[in-house]
Amino acid sequence: MKKSLSFALAAIGLMAGSPALAETLSVNDVLQLSQMGLGDEAIVAKIESESATFDLSTDEMIELKQKGVSSTVIAAMLSAGANSEPEYSLDSADPMIPHPAGVYLLQGSGSDARMKRMNATVSNQAKTGGILGYALTGGIASASVKVAIQDEIAPVQSTTKPVFYFFFDNASDASASNAWANGLNTTVQSPAEFTLVELKQKKGRREARVGSMNIAGAKSGVMDKDRIPFHYDMVRPGVYEVKADAVMEPGEYGFIFSLGSGGTAGAMSARIFDFSVR
C-alpha cells in the first residue's frame, strides 16, 4: 500500500512539474505513467506540455505496446515536437546540429572551431571585355562577359585549406529560403549546382568571366579553365562538406550559382558566396 502511494505521489509530482522531477520526459517515464493506470488523456497532456521529442524505433514501439502502453499514447510520442520549430545555430562547428540554410566556412580548430555563415553577394555590374579586338579581327578574337561585385577583398577570410558546409536540409523553410532566392532559381539541392572560381581583383571590385563569344559562337557560364575543382561529401541528408581538390593560393574566390541566362542578363543575376584566402 505504501509503495503504491509513493508511486502515485511521484506521478502527481511529475504531472505538477515538481523540482525533483522536472527533467525532460523520457520513454521510461511514459511507460511508468502508463503502467500506473493514469489514463491516456493525462499522459498525452503531459507529453504535449513537454519540449521533449521521442525518436522511437519500430522495436521500441512494439515493446511499449507489449508492456501495455496504448496506441494513443504511442502516437502522441511520435508526434511530439513534430510541428515545433527546430533550434538553429549560426556558428556551431557540428554539422549534425541544425543551421539555417546557406554556405558556411569552418574557422578555427578543436574547441575553438566555429562556422561562419557566408552571405551571398549579388553582382552589381556586368561588363564586356575585348570588344575592340573582337571587332578588328571580325570575331576571330574572343570578347568576354564578366560579372563584377563590389570591394576588392571579401569580408570572410579563410586559410589555404578551407572547409565549407552547405546546408540544404531546411532550404524550403520560409525563414531560410532567402539564402538561395533569386528570381525563379530558389531550388538548390547540391553543391554540384555551384562553381568555384577565382575572382580577379580590380580597383574597387572583383570580377569573374561568365561568358565569351567569337566567330565560332558564344558560351555562357564560367569558362572551364577558370573553374577550380572541388569535391563534396554528404554528412547527413541535405548537408554537405565541401573542400577544394588542391591547396588554394592566396587570393579572392567565390562559389557562384544562378546564371539563369546567357550574356549580361545571366551575369546580372549571379549570386556569389565570396571569400578570401590569406
Side-chain angles (χ1 to χ4, degrees), residues 164 191 196 228-233 240-246 255:
F164 302 91
L196 178 56
I228 297 174
F230 66 90
H231 60 277
Y232 55 89
D233 297 293
Y240 298 83
E241 182 184 72
V242 177
K243 297 179 181 179
D245 288 356
F255 289 96

Side-chain angles (χ1 to χ4, degrees), residues 156-170:
V156 177
Q157 310 290 311
S158 80
T159 65
T160 57
K161 295 181 179 181
V163 178
F164 302 91
Y165 287 94
F166 286 49
F167 287 82
F168 304 110
D169 54 334
N170 61 346

